[in-house]
Structure formats: C-alpha cells, structure tokens
Amino acid sequence: MDSCFNIYMSGVGGQGIGLLAELLGRAADHAGLALRGCDTHGLAQRGGMVSSHLRLGRSRSPLVSEGGADLVVSLERTEALRAACTMLKTGGTLVWYDAAWQALDVRAGENPAVTEQDVRSAAAAKGAQAFRVLRDDLPDTRMQNVAVVAEIVRRGLIPGLGLEYAKAALADLMSGDALAANLALLSME
C-alpha cells in the first residue's frame, strides 16, 4: 500500500510547470524525502494543458490517482478548476496562481470564463483549503511558479519541506541575477 503525500501540478504550456515540478522535487530531495514523479510536456509548445505528478514518501507509481492529490498546485485559473474537480482529494489543499488564459471554448463563446469564485466553490465542495496567489509586483511573469512555491513554503503545506530546502533547490536550478531575484521572492513574508 502506498503511504505518501501526493502533489498534482497543472497549468498551460509556457507557464513553467516543468520548473515548478523540478523545484519542488529538488527541495524534497534536499529535505531527504523519498519521491517519485513524472511530467507531461506534449502540449507545452502549443499553449495546451501541462501537468506534473510528485509523490513524496513510499509509492509504487509516480502518478497521483484521480481524487488522490493532497495538494493541487495550478498556475492558471481554468486548470485550477479542472484539477480541483478531478484530482484534489476531499480535505486537500489547492494553491493557484490567478492567471487566466482563455480556453478555446471561452474564446469561441461556448462557455463563460472561469472566475475566482468558481475555483473557490470547487475547492469548498471537496472540503478543501484554497489559497489564491496573485502578485502585481513580479519583475518577470515567469516568476509566478516561484511565487506559488513561496506561498506553499510560507504556509507549511508540504510536510517536511521548509524554506531552506526550497532555497537550496533554486540554487541548483538558477544562477546570477535570476537566482537572486527568485530567492528574494521566495523569502518575502
């Protein structure tokens, strides 16, 4: 039987889901946590849905089962709603960056745009905590994924994964000005 903390990450191609997954995976490794994970990259270049799975602890599979995510992390509002409805477990936690990339059905006028309240209602239906992240002071929009990690670390949403491990993971992945800017964002209270 599996005994682990399941994280499901989703967004739209080009938002940095791969870096988000790598950052959380390396932080978990620095914390000494066992992990398994996998990514989907097929639609990344076309603005399509991208997801990553990360399982901390003992597991046989790298995939988080439907309705089995302790933590859902999304970098786009529509994907946050979709993941909350399908992947989030009852009593889990949802953290999303409140960016909105209009889906084709919204642009075509077939469906209304997803709202913040839609996302909150989906989380509430599962008895889940929901944390919205939106920063208008980011020096670069590509830092949205680190803004979400900062919220996760600040709230202690991943057992055993503290700020020091997230900083070490960033240092593995970046250097120079990019590292300095992202470390500053990660350390903000």
Side-chain angles (χ1 to χ4, degrees):
M1 181 139 194
D2 294 339
S3 173
C4 56
F5 186 84
N6 297 306
I7 304 168
Y8 179 80
M9 295 157 274
S10 64
V12 176
Q15 287 191 298
I17 291 294
L19 180 62
L20 173 65
E22 185 70 17
L23 176 57
L24 289 177
R26 285 181 185 240
D29 190 45
H30 280 288
L33 304 172
L35 65 113
R36 289 185 186 261
C38 69
D39 301 321
T40 60
H41 295 292
L43 297 175
Q45 293 181 354
R46 303 201 188 279
M49 187 266 191
V50 178
S51 67
S52 290
H53 301 244
L54 187 61
R55 304 187 75 203
L56 306 178
R58 293 185 356 234
S59 68
R60 294 187 182 131
S61 167
L63 297 174
V64 175
S65 62
E66 191 169 305
D70 297 286
L71 175 62
V72 166
V73 182
S74 292
L75 295 179
E76 196 275 337
R77 193 181 311 144
T78 302
E79 293 307 326
L81 176 62
R82 186 182 332 231
C85 291
T86 61
M87 298 302 291
L88 186 61
K89 79 180 212 180
T90 299
T93 302
L94 169 67
V95 178
W96 85 97
Y97 196 90
D98 201 20
W101 291 29
Q102 284 192 342
L104 182 58
D105 61 338
V106 173
R107 283 182 278 164
E110 297 169 7
N111 286 308
V114 172
T115 66
E116 176 186 350
Q117 189 54 48
D118 293 333
V119 177
R120 290 192 181 284
S121 294
K126 297 235 176 148
Q129 297 182 84
F131 301 104
R132 173 184 179 254
V133 178
L134 181 62
R135 301 283 307 256
D136 60 0
D137 62 342
L138 293 178
D140 187 331
T141 58
R142 292 176 294 179
M143 295 171 71
Q144 292 172 351
N145 48 16
V146 175
V148 169
V149 172
E151 185 75 7
I152 290 167
V153 170
R154 186 176 69 76
R155 292 186 178 276
L157 299 177
I158 300 175
L161 203 148
L163 179 60
E164 67 276 17
Y165 304 121
K167 285 181 174 182
L170 272 176
D172 288 348
L173 297 167
M174 299 174 186
S175 62
D177 292 342
L179 175 59
N182 281 283
L183 283 173
L185 176 62
L186 188 62
S187 299
M188 288 181 136
E189 290 295 324

